[in-house]
Structures are given as structure tokens and as C-alpha cells.
Amino acid sequence: MTENLRLPPPAVGQNFVTISALEGGSLTLPKSLFITNADPEKRTTVPSLCFLIKHTSPSADKNKTTKLVFDLGLKRDFSGYTAAQQHHISQRQPTSTSPDTAASLRNGGVKPEDVDVVVLSHVHWDHVGTPSDFPNAKFVVGSGTLDLLANGGGYLYPKELFHHDELPFDRTYELPPVEGGKGLRAARKQTVHKWEKWDGFELDVVDYFGDGSLFVVDAPGHLFGHVNLLARIGVGRWVYLGGDCCHDVRILKGESDVATYSDGCGG
Ligand SMILES: [Zn+2]
């Protein structure tokens, strides 16, 4: 962690968001996919957490609250994955899908059809969930994601590990490409955001609601189009949602490094 990292101070009348964690299923992976010094024999079952973020605009639309869900976890019905994905998933057992993201929302009194926005950190199988559960949501993904779904991303990210028809394309928008970034081909349909840079912060950010309460962070490395969220939940209180950026606390403590893999099958 960067000790000197200074995040933007609150504005006068600063708006905040609230965050609730949602169970989105679980899967089992070799520990060697997480950290460099793992026991090669050990495996661990991990949750694919998703998050409900609520944002209320005091000035617009009579206190309209936007319900945004970050990541959708695993599909509850594995027949929605391609044959190649199902083969990949057979090496990630045991898995669980109950509750999935939609059920978790309902358990908390939120109807999936009332969700306004779904932001996917990236489109690995264990994060795309069941998009059809959110028939009224706008889907927002990182730049190049639609190209990745259609064509794959080279030998490290083979096409067969993605489902080309995964997202509701009429409601899907990519964030604009980051200036100087090395992404895949950007989609024509993009959100109207603008990437900005902060002093002392290495990654580009987008102010999602335009009021400093929720930032999308460009986080290349795990997969093309990977984005994170940085949420302001109070004065001096932030939550960083990394979506597969860091699977083990030893990485944060400097006791281990991020594991890398060479066959595209890390997810
Ligand atoms: Zn992933």
C-alpha cells in the first residue's frame, strides 16, 4: 500500500455512497494462482463477492437513488457457460451458486429488476454471473471488453474462455479507452466519462457520478478492460473494490507477490 497516498478531500456538501456485500457463489482454486510462494498442492475455496452500491442525488430527480451492482459472480445455471468454459470450471470444483447475486439481492429486499447499473470488473466466468436477471440495468464494462468477448485477447486470453453472447449488447456501454493505454479495440457505444489523473496515484480514474462519491479505476493486468471501484462512504472513509486484483493479504503486507500464469487459465 502507498502510505503517502492522498485521496481527494471531501467537497462542501460532499455526497457519499453506501455499500453492501453480496454473495455471488464460490469456487476452488490452487493457491499457486494467487501468490508466488504457495504450496503447489494446496487449494482454497474462495467467494466471488459482489456489491450493491447505492447513490442518492440530492439535487436531481427528487432524491433519486441509483442502485449499482459491481460484479455478478457465478452463473447459477452452468449450462449458460460454453463447453470450453464448463471444462475449465470442472477444474475449479467444488463450486457453489446458492445464493447467487440475484438471490442475495432479494434476501436483502432489493429486486434485481430494480437495479439501474451493473459494472463488471472484468468478464472472467466467475464475475459475469447471470446478466438476464437484470433486465432494466445498463451494463458498464472496461474498454475493449466487447472485443475480448468476441475475439479473445491473444494466446494468454483465448477466445474459448469467453462467451461471445454474454452481455445485453443494446444496454452495454464501455468506458472510454484510457489515453495511451494498450487495450483491445474500443466499442463505439461508450459512457460519457473522462479519465483523469491524481497526483501520487498511478492509475487513471473516472468520477462515475460526477460528485466525487464513486470512482472507477483503470486496473490493467489481470484481464483486458479490468476496472476497480473506489467508493467514498464517509469523511475520510473509503472502500476499494478490486475484483481479482489481490487474493491474499500477504500480497498487501509485502510477504508475497502476485502469482502470474501463462496459459490464460488463471481465473
Ligand atoms: Zn478474473
Side-chain angles (χ1 to χ4, degrees):
M1 301 285 272
T2 307
E3 287 178 10
N4 296 325
L5 178 61
R6 253 185 262 124
L7 297 173
V12 176
Q14 177 65 56
N15 203 7
F16 304 107
V17 293
T18 63
I19 301 182
S20 306
L22 303 166
E23 290 181 81
S26 66
L27 63 155
T28 305
L29 297 121
K31 284 199 167 185
S32 57
L33 286 177
F34 295 156
I35 52 172
T36 46
N37 49 354
D39 180 337
E41 303 295 320
K42 290 233 166 104
R43 292 162 61 81
T44 187
T45 298
V46 297
S48 186
L49 284 177
C50 311
F51 298 89
L52 170 66
I53 297 173
K54 287 190 191 170
H55 173 273
T56 301
S57 283
S59 54
D61 295 340
K62 295 180 186 160
N63 287 329
K64 176 182 164 45
T65 295
T66 299
K67 297 186 186 76
L68 182 153
V69 173
F70 182 59
D71 276 349
L72 297 181
L74 282 67
K75 293 184 192 300
R76 69 177 163 276
D77 178 1
F78 282 6
S79 70
Y81 292 115
T82 66
Q85 286 178 313
Q86 290 181 36
H87 174 72
H88 177 74
I89 294 167
S90 71
Q91 299 157 34
R92 297 291 180 255
Q93 298 298 325
T95 56
S96 74
T97 60
S98 182
D100 68 349
T101 310
S104 295
L105 283 166
R106 284 191 203 99
N107 289 344
V110 175
K111 294 179 193 160
E113 53 269 39
D114 289 343
V115 169
D116 303 288
V117 183
V118 171
V119 177
L120 296 179
S121 64
H122 64 300
V123 288
H124 272 147
W125 68 276
D126 50 336
H127 290 255
V128 294
T130 309
S132 58
D133 286 340
F134 302 89
N136 301 310
K138 168 182 177 178
F139 280 67
V140 176
V141 293
S143 183
T145 296
L146 297 186
D147 189 10
L148 178 70
L149 288 175
N151 305 306
Y155 76 99
L156 283 177
Y157 307 99
K159 181 178 174 177
E160 57 268 25
L161 286 182
F162 303 98
H163 193 317
H164 76 282
D165 198 20
E166 192 72 80
L167 299 176
F169 292 109
D170 56 328
R171 289 180 280 124
T172 300
Y173 297 77
E174 286 190 354
L175 289 150
V178 175
E179 196 177 328
K182 292 185 202 151
L184 297 174
R185 188 162 47 90
R188 279 207 200 123
K189 213 156 66 172
Q190 298 179 4
T191 68
V192 291
H193 294 110
K194 210 168 172 207
W195 292 101
E196 55 185 271
K197 285 191 184 295
W198 294 337
D199 284 344
F201 193 73
E202 289 176 33
L203 304 171
D204 295 74
V205 297
V206 145
D207 185 349
Y208 189 82
F209 291 112
D211 61 5
S213 62
L214 183 71
F215 296 93
V216 182
V217 181
D218 176 50
H222 182 65
L223 188 62
F224 288 106
H226 195 185
V227 292
N228 298 167
L229 292 185
L230 176 61
R232 193 196 299 262
I233 60 167
V235 175
R237 298 178 68 213
W238 298 83
V239 174
Y240 194 87
L241 304 176
D244 274 6
C245 272
C246 178
H247 290 95
D248 192 301
V249 72
R250 282 169 286 183
I251 297 170
L252 292 177
K253 289 179 175 172
E255 297 168 8
S256 184
D257 284 323
V258 177
T260 57
Y261 50 91
S262 56
D263 61 356
C265 297

